[in-house]
Amino acid sequence: MLRRIIVASNNPDKFREIQEKFSALPLILQSLADFPFVPKVVEDQPDLPGNARKKAVEVWRAAGLWTLADDTGLEVVALGGAPGVFSARYSGPGATYESNCLKLLEEMHHVPEGERQAAFRTVICLRTDEREYCVEGTLQGTIGRNPRGENGFGYDPIFVLSDGRTLAELSLEEKNRISHRGRALVKTEMLLRGLLEVSPFP
Ligand code: IMP
């Protein structure tokens, strides 16, 4: 019997990406859709590690299985790290990816070139029956002046990489190879590889 691990997310794209990254590992991943009795976790912590940890711990407690949870934010240097943990709802109630990008472009309107550095940060926490582990991945870039590119989601069209392209101008495969989430997932895969050698079964 293989170890079952819950991915504490309702986002099917995220689930698929994680499944693909961990396909060589001896485990079975399950999404929250398989656990309708698990209460929704309120993401009310002041930072990304706090939210990721809270989701992992609460779902593990309710379902009794090892749980992986993540939280991601965009941290802009000129804005003191904002929107950070508020990235999803930066432009207020009813925020969309587009309204969030527009608000950020407005806030950054007067910030000169050379002071527009930003980073995406993903924190992934794994709660096992013994303890919790957290890893993180980051991607450095700058905030552009106009949205560009058709791919990706969220702030991708205004996040400019060192080669001048926005994240939304990369294919999904290219993005996953270099992204904050991709890097955090590589670290999580190494962590799981070690843990599963010691305790392979549910
Ligand atoms: P979540 O924690 O993955 O749900 O991400 C929170 C918010 O950060 C999302 O609603 C997006 O606005 C933004 N975000 C997360 N990951 C990315 C990404 O890879 N590209 C662009 N925006 C992202």
Side-chain angles (χ1 to χ4, degrees):
M1 209 158 55
L2 295 174
R3 178 167 291 285
R4 288 192 295 149
I5 297 180
I6 302 177
V7 177
S9 164
N10 285 310
N11 179 330
D13 293 325
K14 233 185 236 181
F15 186 73
R16 258 196 303 277
E17 185 186 345
I18 295 176
Q19 241 177 349
E20 189 200 294
K21 272 262 174 7
F22 296 170
S23 58
L25 293 180
L27 53 79
I28 295 171
L29 287 178
Q30 290 188 274
S31 85
L32 272 185
D34 296 332
F35 300 87
F37 60 89
V38 171
K40 186 169 165 29
V41 180
V42 181
E43 297 185 35
D44 55 2
Q45 298 301 295
D47 53 27
L48 300 170
N51 275 339
R53 196 176 300 126
K54 183 176 180 193
K55 281 187 271 186
V57 169
E58 289 193 10
V59 172
W60 165 76
R61 199 172 283 137
L65 291 171
W66 288 17
T67 300
L68 272 172
D70 77 313
D71 204 19
T72 297
L74 174 64
E75 299 175 336
V76 180
V77 174
L79 303 178
V85 74
F86 301 110
S87 293
R89 45 211 148 113
Y90 186 46
S91 54
T96 63
Y97 291 150
E98 200 185 353
S99 66
N100 284 338
C101 285
L102 286 176
K103 177 172 161 80
L104 186 55
L105 288 176
E106 269 169 37
E107 297 286 330
M108 295 290 288
H109 187 66
H110 298 292
V111 179
E113 306 309 316
E115 292 177 28
R116 300 178 69 88
Q117 298 88 347
F120 276 114
R121 186 152 78 104
T122 292
V123 178
I124 297 181
C125 290
L126 169 70
R127 172 70 217 205
T128 69
D129 296 329
E130 280 76 38
R131 53 166 286 193
E132 65 200 37
Y133 303 83
C134 293
V135 299
E136 72 172 55
T138 56
L139 176 63
Q140 305 289 335
T142 56
I143 301 301
R145 298 250 171 217
N146 299 296
R148 269 190 286 125
E150 303 299 324
N151 304 327
F153 66 95
Y155 298 92
D156 284 351
I158 59 170
F159 189 87
V160 182
L161 300 163
S162 55
D163 67 4
R165 290 185 296 173
T166 69
L167 260 188
E169 292 177 308
L170 269 52
S171 69
L172 183 62
E173 291 70 33
E174 274 179 299
K175 179 183 166 185
N176 289 346
R177 253 200 316 275
I178 61 154
S179 80
H180 40 295
R181 202 172 3 265
R183 287 171 177 163
L185 284 172
V186 167
K187 291 184 187 171
T188 308
E189 199 219 347
M190 290 192 296
L191 170 71
L192 280 170
R193 212 174 267 284
L195 289 172
L196 289 169
E197 265 176 32
V198 183
S199 32
F201 304 117

